[in-house]
Protein backbone atom coordinates (compact mmCIF):
# COMPACT_ATOMS: atom_id res chain seq x y z
CA UNK A 1 0.00 0.00 0.00
CA UNK A 2 1.11 3.60 -0.61
CA UNK A 3 2.50 5.34 2.44
CA UNK A 4 0.48 8.42 3.38
CA UNK A 5 2.20 9.23 6.71
CA UNK A 6 5.78 10.54 6.92
CA UNK A 7 7.18 11.02 10.44
CA UNK A 8 10.07 13.46 10.84
CA UNK A 9 13.18 12.13 9.10
CA UNK A 10 11.43 9.73 6.72
CA UNK A 11 11.00 12.17 3.81
CA UNK A 12 14.44 13.84 3.83
CA UNK A 13 16.31 14.42 0.58
CA UNK A 14 19.66 16.20 0.29
CA UNK A 15 19.51 19.57 2.06
CA UNK A 16 15.80 19.19 2.76
CA UNK A 17 14.28 17.76 5.97
CA UNK A 18 11.15 17.09 3.91
CA UNK A 19 10.97 16.77 0.13
CA UNK A 20 7.72 15.28 -1.14
CA UNK A 21 5.82 15.80 -4.38
CA UNK A 22 6.30 15.97 -8.10
CA UNK A 23 9.52 17.93 -8.71
CA UNK A 24 12.66 16.15 -9.92
CA UNK A 25 14.39 16.54 -6.55
CA UNK A 26 11.44 15.29 -4.48
CA UNK A 27 10.59 11.85 -3.16
CA UNK A 28 7.88 10.52 -5.46
CA UNK A 29 4.69 9.03 -3.98
CA UNK A 30 2.59 6.59 -5.99
CA UNK A 31 -0.68 8.18 -7.01
CA UNK A 32 0.47 11.70 -6.09
CA UNK A 33 0.49 14.30 -8.87
CA UNK A 34 -0.59 17.82 -7.95
CA UNK A 35 1.19 19.13 -4.84
CA UNK A 36 4.56 19.14 -3.12
CA UNK A 37 6.25 20.29 0.07
CA UNK A 38 9.83 21.03 1.02
CA UNK A 39 11.07 21.98 4.49
CA UNK A 40 14.66 22.96 5.34
CA UNK A 41 16.49 23.87 8.54
CA UNK A 42 19.11 26.50 7.73
CA UNK A 43 22.16 27.27 9.83
CA UNK A 44 23.09 30.95 10.12
CA UNK A 45 24.26 32.21 6.73
CA UNK A 46 23.39 29.04 4.81
CA UNK A 47 21.05 28.69 1.83
CA UNK A 48 18.92 26.27 -0.15
CA UNK A 49 18.13 26.62 -3.83
CA UNK A 50 15.43 25.44 -6.20
CA UNK A 51 16.02 25.54 -9.96
CA UNK A 52 13.53 27.03 -12.39
CA UNK A 53 10.74 24.51 -13.00
CA UNK A 54 7.18 24.25 -14.20
CA UNK A 55 5.75 24.68 -10.73
CA UNK A 56 4.51 27.57 -8.63
CA UNK A 57 5.85 28.00 -5.09
CA UNK A 58 5.10 29.76 -1.83
CA UNK A 59 7.95 30.26 0.64
CA UNK A 60 6.69 30.15 4.25
CA UNK A 61 9.02 30.94 7.19
CA UNK A 62 8.28 28.55 10.07
CA UNK A 63 10.74 30.14 12.47
CA UNK A 64 13.31 32.81 11.72
CA UNK A 65 13.58 35.43 8.97
CA UNK A 66 14.76 34.85 5.40
CA UNK A 67 15.86 36.53 2.20
CA UNK A 68 14.44 34.94 -0.94
CA UNK A 69 15.98 35.68 -4.34
CA UNK A 70 13.76 35.14 -7.39
CA UNK A 71 15.30 35.84 -10.81
CA UNK A 72 17.89 38.12 -9.23
CA UNK A 73 15.47 40.16 -7.12
CA UNK A 74 15.75 39.91 -3.33
CA UNK A 75 12.73 39.82 -1.03
CA UNK A 76 13.15 40.06 2.75
CA UNK A 77 10.66 37.96 4.71
CA UNK A 78 10.18 39.17 8.27
CA UNK A 79 9.57 35.82 9.90
CA UNK A 80 8.47 34.81 13.38
CA UNK A 81 9.71 33.10 16.51
CA UNK A 82 7.48 30.08 15.81
CA UNK A 83 4.40 29.09 13.86
CA UNK A 84 2.36 29.83 17.00
CA UNK A 85 3.45 33.50 16.97
CA UNK A 86 0.93 34.62 14.34
CA UNK A 87 1.29 35.11 10.56
CA UNK A 88 4.59 35.56 8.75
CA UNK A 89 5.54 37.29 5.54
CA UNK A 90 5.38 34.76 2.68
CA UNK A 91 6.51 34.90 -0.94
CA UNK A 92 4.78 33.55 -4.04
CA UNK A 93 7.30 32.96 -6.83
CA UNK A 94 5.15 32.06 -9.82
CA UNK A 95 6.34 29.45 -12.34
CA UNK A 96 9.58 28.88 -14.22
CA UNK A 97 11.71 30.87 -11.76
CA UNK A 98 14.79 29.84 -9.82
CA UNK A 99 14.48 30.43 -6.07
CA UNK A 100 17.27 30.85 -3.51
CA UNK A 101 16.54 31.08 0.23
CA UNK A 102 19.05 32.23 2.85
CA UNK A 103 18.91 33.34 6.49
CA UNK A 104 21.35 35.53 8.40
CA UNK A 105 20.49 34.00 11.77
CA UNK A 106 19.18 30.61 10.63
CA UNK A 107 15.74 29.08 10.93
CA UNK A 108 13.28 26.65 9.42
CA UNK A 109 11.43 27.33 6.18
CA UNK A 110 8.75 25.55 4.13
CA UNK A 111 8.15 25.74 0.38
CA UNK A 112 4.76 24.68 -0.95
CA UNK A 113 4.78 23.63 -4.62
CA UNK A 114 2.34 22.66 -7.36
CA UNK A 115 2.88 21.88 -11.06
CA UNK A 116 1.48 24.82 -13.00
CA UNK A 117 1.33 26.25 -16.50
CA UNK A 118 -0.19 29.72 -16.21
CA UNK A 119 2.25 32.42 -15.11
CA UNK A 120 1.46 34.89 -12.34
CA UNK A 121 3.79 37.57 -10.96
CA UNK A 122 6.02 37.10 -7.95
CA UNK A 123 4.31 38.57 -4.90
CA UNK A 124 5.33 39.30 -1.32
CA UNK A 125 2.41 38.92 1.10
CA UNK A 126 3.28 40.54 4.42
CA UNK A 127 2.08 39.33 7.80
CA UNK A 128 -0.05 42.48 8.09
CA UNK A 129 -1.75 41.69 4.74
CA UNK A 130 -2.51 38.08 5.62
CA UNK A 131 -6.24 37.42 6.13
CA UNK A 132 -6.73 35.85 9.58
CA UNK A 133 -9.93 33.85 10.00
CA UNK A 134 -11.33 32.44 13.25
CA UNK A 135 -13.25 29.37 12.13
CA UNK A 136 -15.70 27.19 14.03
CA UNK A 137 -16.69 27.75 17.67
CA UNK A 138 -16.36 26.21 21.11
CA UNK A 139 -13.95 23.28 21.10
CA UNK A 140 -13.96 23.35 17.29
CA UNK A 141 -12.42 26.86 17.24
CA UNK A 142 -9.26 27.33 15.19
CA UNK A 143 -7.27 30.13 13.55
CA UNK A 144 -6.61 30.14 9.79
CA UNK A 145 -4.02 32.23 7.92
CA UNK A 146 -5.41 32.49 4.38
CA UNK A 147 -2.36 33.90 2.54
CA UNK A 148 -2.57 31.45 -0.38
CA UNK A 149 -6.32 31.11 -0.93
CA UNK A 150 -8.08 32.31 -4.09
CA UNK A 151 -9.44 35.43 -2.36
CA UNK A 152 -5.95 36.52 -1.24
CA UNK A 153 -3.59 35.38 -4.01
CA UNK A 154 -3.63 35.15 -7.79
CA UNK A 155 -2.15 31.75 -8.67
CA UNK A 156 -2.64 28.95 -11.17
CA UNK A 157 -3.27 25.76 -9.25
CA UNK A 158 -2.67 25.63 -5.55
CA UNK A 159 -4.47 26.74 -2.40
CA UNK A 160 -2.24 27.19 0.66
CA UNK A 161 -3.07 28.19 4.23
CA UNK A 162 -2.02 27.42 7.80
CA UNK A 163 -4.14 26.52 10.82
CA UNK A 164 -3.53 26.84 14.56
CA UNK A 165 -5.66 24.74 16.89
CA UNK A 166 -5.55 25.43 20.65
CA UNK A 167 -4.90 22.57 23.06
CA UNK A 168 -7.86 20.21 23.37
CA UNK A 169 -9.69 21.50 20.28
CA UNK A 170 -10.57 19.71 17.03
CA UNK A 171 -10.06 21.21 13.57
CA UNK A 172 -10.58 19.92 10.04
CA UNK A 173 -13.94 19.08 11.57
CA UNK A 174 -16.54 17.93 10.75
CA UNK A 175 -14.82 15.34 8.53
CA UNK A 176 -15.05 16.38 4.91
CA UNK A 177 -13.71 15.51 1.48
CA UNK A 178 -12.73 17.14 -1.81
CA UNK A 179 -11.87 14.16 -4.00
CA UNK A 180 -14.14 14.50 -7.05
CA UNK A 181 -15.31 17.14 -9.49
CA UNK A 182 -19.05 17.67 -9.08
CA UNK A 183 -21.50 20.41 -8.14
CA UNK A 184 -20.34 21.83 -4.83
CA UNK A 185 -17.05 19.93 -4.68
CA UNK A 186 -13.59 20.19 -6.26
CA UNK A 187 -10.93 17.51 -6.61
CA UNK A 188 -7.91 18.51 -4.50
CA UNK A 189 -4.97 16.58 -3.09
CA UNK A 190 -3.96 17.85 0.34
CA UNK A 191 -0.77 17.92 2.38
CA UNK A 192 -0.75 18.42 6.15
CA UNK A 193 2.60 19.49 7.66
CA UNK A 194 2.42 19.55 11.47
CA UNK A 195 4.08 21.32 14.36
CA UNK A 196 3.19 21.03 18.06
CA UNK A 197 3.99 22.90 21.26
CA UNK A 198 3.23 22.69 24.95
CA UNK A 199 0.32 25.06 25.62
CA UNK A 200 1.05 28.19 27.62
CA UNK A 201 0.11 27.84 31.29
CA UNK A 202 -0.32 24.07 31.06
CA UNK A 203 2.18 23.34 33.82
CA UNK A 204 3.75 20.60 31.71
CA UNK A 205 7.08 19.09 32.83
CA UNK A 206 10.25 19.77 30.84
CA UNK A 207 10.10 16.35 29.15
CA UNK A 208 6.50 16.72 27.92
CA UNK A 209 6.02 15.22 24.44
CA UNK A 210 3.77 17.59 22.46
CA UNK A 211 1.60 15.64 20.04
CA UNK A 212 -1.65 15.64 18.11
CA UNK A 213 -3.66 13.26 15.91
CA UNK A 214 -4.89 13.17 12.31
CA UNK A 215 -7.65 11.00 10.85
CA UNK A 216 -8.30 10.07 7.18
CA UNK A 217 -10.77 7.38 6.07
CA UNK A 218 -12.42 6.08 2.92
CA UNK A 219 -15.28 7.91 1.22
CA UNK A 220 -15.75 5.31 -1.54
CA UNK A 221 -14.20 2.00 -2.62
CA UNK A 222 -10.64 3.41 -2.62
CA UNK A 223 -9.00 2.15 0.57
CA UNK A 224 -7.43 4.57 3.02
CA UNK A 225 -7.33 4.35 6.82
CA UNK A 226 -5.06 6.77 8.69
CA UNK A 227 -5.15 7.41 12.44
CA UNK A 228 -1.75 9.02 12.98
CA UNK A 229 -0.06 10.47 16.03
CA UNK A 230 1.76 13.60 14.81
CA UNK A 231 4.52 15.85 16.12
CA UNK A 232 6.67 18.69 14.81
CA UNK A 233 8.01 17.82 11.36
CA UNK A 234 5.51 15.07 10.53
CA UNK A 235 3.51 15.02 7.28
CA UNK A 236 0.22 13.34 6.36
CA UNK A 237 -0.88 13.16 2.71
CA UNK A 238 -4.58 13.09 1.83
CA UNK A 239 -5.07 11.81 -1.73
CA UNK A 240 -8.84 11.28 -1.29
CA UNK A 241 -11.35 10.33 1.36
CA UNK A 242 -12.92 11.89 4.42
CA UNK A 243 -10.34 13.69 6.54
CA UNK A 244 -10.62 15.13 10.01
CA UNK A 245 -10.49 15.70 12.75
CA UNK A 246 -7.00 17.07 13.27
CA UNK A 247 -6.93 16.87 17.05
CA UNK A 248 -4.87 19.02 19.41
CA UNK A 249 -4.37 16.83 22.47
CA UNK A 250 -5.09 18.46 25.85
CA UNK A 251 -2.01 20.40 26.96
CA UNK A 252 -0.59 20.76 23.43
CA UNK A 253 -1.31 23.31 20.69
CA UNK A 254 -1.36 22.05 17.08
CA UNK A 255 -0.28 23.80 13.87
CA UNK A 256 -0.54 22.57 10.32
CA UNK A 257 0.38 23.96 6.92
CA UNK A 258 -2.09 22.89 4.22
CA UNK A 259 -1.13 22.60 0.55
CA UNK A 260 -3.93 21.74 -1.89
CA UNK A 261 -4.17 21.45 -5.67
CA UNK A 262 -5.91 19.26 -8.19
CA UNK A 263 -6.70 18.63 -11.86
CA UNK A 264 -10.03 20.43 -12.05
CA UNK A 265 -10.76 23.56 -14.10
CA UNK A 266 -11.55 25.80 -11.11
CA UNK A 267 -9.13 26.84 -8.35
CA UNK A 268 -11.57 26.70 -5.47
CA UNK A 269 -11.90 24.85 -2.15
CA UNK A 270 -15.34 23.24 -2.34
CA UNK A 271 -16.03 20.41 0.10
CA UNK A 272 -18.61 17.82 1.07
CA UNK A 273 -19.14 17.01 4.75
CA UNK A 274 -19.40 13.43 5.94
CA UNK A 275 -23.22 13.22 6.24
CA UNK A 276 -22.91 11.44 9.58
CA UNK A 277 -21.15 14.41 11.15
CA UNK A 278 -21.92 17.57 9.18
CA UNK A 279 -24.75 18.44 11.58
CA UNK A 280 -22.22 19.67 14.18
CA UNK A 281 -21.80 22.93 12.25
CA UNK A 282 -25.33 23.96 13.26
CA UNK A 283 -24.33 24.14 16.90
CA UNK A 284 -21.60 26.72 16.31
CA UNK A 285 -24.10 29.58 16.01
CA UNK A 286 -24.88 29.31 19.73
CA UNK A 287 -21.24 28.98 20.87
CA UNK A 288 -18.47 31.53 21.31
CA UNK A 289 -15.04 31.43 19.66
CA UNK A 290 -12.43 29.96 22.00
CA UNK A 291 -11.10 32.97 23.99
CA UNK A 292 -7.51 31.72 23.57
CA UNK A 293 -7.72 32.86 19.94
CA UNK A 294 -6.22 34.58 18.10
CA UNK A 295 -2.59 33.53 18.58
CA UNK A 296 -0.05 36.30 17.97
CA UNK A 297 -2.39 38.79 16.30
Amino acid sequence: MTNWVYPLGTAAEGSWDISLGTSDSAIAVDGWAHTGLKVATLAAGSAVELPAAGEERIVVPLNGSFTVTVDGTEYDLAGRASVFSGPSDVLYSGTGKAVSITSVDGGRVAVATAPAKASYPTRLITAAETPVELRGAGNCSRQVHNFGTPAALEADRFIVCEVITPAGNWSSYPPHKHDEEKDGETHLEEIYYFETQVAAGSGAPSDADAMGYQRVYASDDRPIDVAAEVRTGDVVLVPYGWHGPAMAAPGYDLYYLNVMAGPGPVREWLISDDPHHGWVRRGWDSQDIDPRLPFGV
Side-chain angles (χ1 to χ4, degrees):
M1 292 182 63
T2 301
N3 182 25
W4 304 121
V5 181
Y6 291 85
L8 177 64
T10 62
E13 183 79 8
S15 302
W16 299 94
D17 302 332
I18 296 167
S19 183
L20 291 166
T22 59
S23 60
D24 292 341
S25 60
I27 297 170
V29 178
D30 288 344
W32 201 257
H34 304 290
T35 57
L37 176 70
K38 292 179 177 289
V39 176
T41 302
L42 298 186
S46 64
V48 287
E49 297 183 353
L50 291 167
E55 62 183 22
E56 54 189 355
R57 300 160 174 158
I58 291 185
V59 180
V60 183
L62 300 173
N63 74 278
S65 297
F66 299 85
T67 297
V68 183
T69 303
V70 180
D71 281 351
T73 301
E74 290 188 352
Y75 301 85
D76 291 326
L77 306 188
R80 50 192 168 181
S82 84
V83 294
F84 298 98
S85 301
S88 170
D89 296 352
V90 303
L91 185 76
Y92 173 77
S93 73
T95 62
K97 299 176 182 179
V99 175
S100 175
I101 306 168
T102 188
S103 177
V104 171
D105 298 317
R108 192 166 61 257
V109 63
V111 184
T113 70
K117 295 181 180 179
S119 179
Y120 290 86
T122 299
R123 181 181 167 196
L124 173 65
I125 302 169
T126 67
E129 294 174 314
T130 297
V132 176
E133 173 190 2
L134 300 184
R135 186 178 296 172
N139 64 353
C140 291
S141 301
R142 58 272 203 185
Q143 175 175 332
V144 187
H145 301 158
N146 287 311
F147 52 78
T149 58
L153 175 69
E154 278 193 312
D156 184 18
R157 303 308 306 167
F158 63 13
I159 299 170
V160 185
C161 66
E162 55 187 9
V163 181
I164 301 172
T165 308
N169 285 10
W170 285 23
S171 61
S172 285
Y173 194 77
H176 58 280
K177 73 181 185 75
H178 38 71
D179 59 11
E180 58 182 321
E181 290 290 328
K182 65 178 185 179
D183 287 346
E185 186 175 336
T186 46
H187 180 189
L188 300 167
E189 291 178 345
E190 186 165 10
I191 298 172
Y192 281 72
Y193 164 80
F194 291 96
E195 296 204 4
T196 55
Q197 73 167 11
V198 173
S202 64
S206 59
D207 61 350
D209 183 18
M211 63 180 184
Y213 294 89
Q214 173 69 36
R215 181 78 172 113
V216 187
Y217 56 100
S219 59
D220 52 32
D221 58 358
R222 294 171 291 181
I224 190 167
D225 187 4
V226 173
E229 192 172 282
V230 294
R231 293 172 174 80
T232 294
D234 294 350
V235 175
V236 174
L237 305 181
V238 182
Y240 47 76
W242 306 115
H243 47 287
M247 294 171 276
Y252 306 122
D253 301 320
L254 181 69
Y255 161 96
Y256 51 88
L257 175 66
N258 274 155
V259 186
M260 293 176 277
V266 178
R267 178 180 168 245
E268 192 169 4
W269 183 63
L270 300 177
I271 65 172
S272 298
D273 285 339
D274 183 330
H276 296 97
H277 305 296
W279 63 269
V280 301
R281 294 186 188 273
R282 297 195 297 271
W284 294 348
D285 292 339
S286 60
Q287 299 178 57
D288 294 329
I289 295 286
D290 191 313
R292 292 173 292 177
L293 296 174
F295 279 58
V297 177

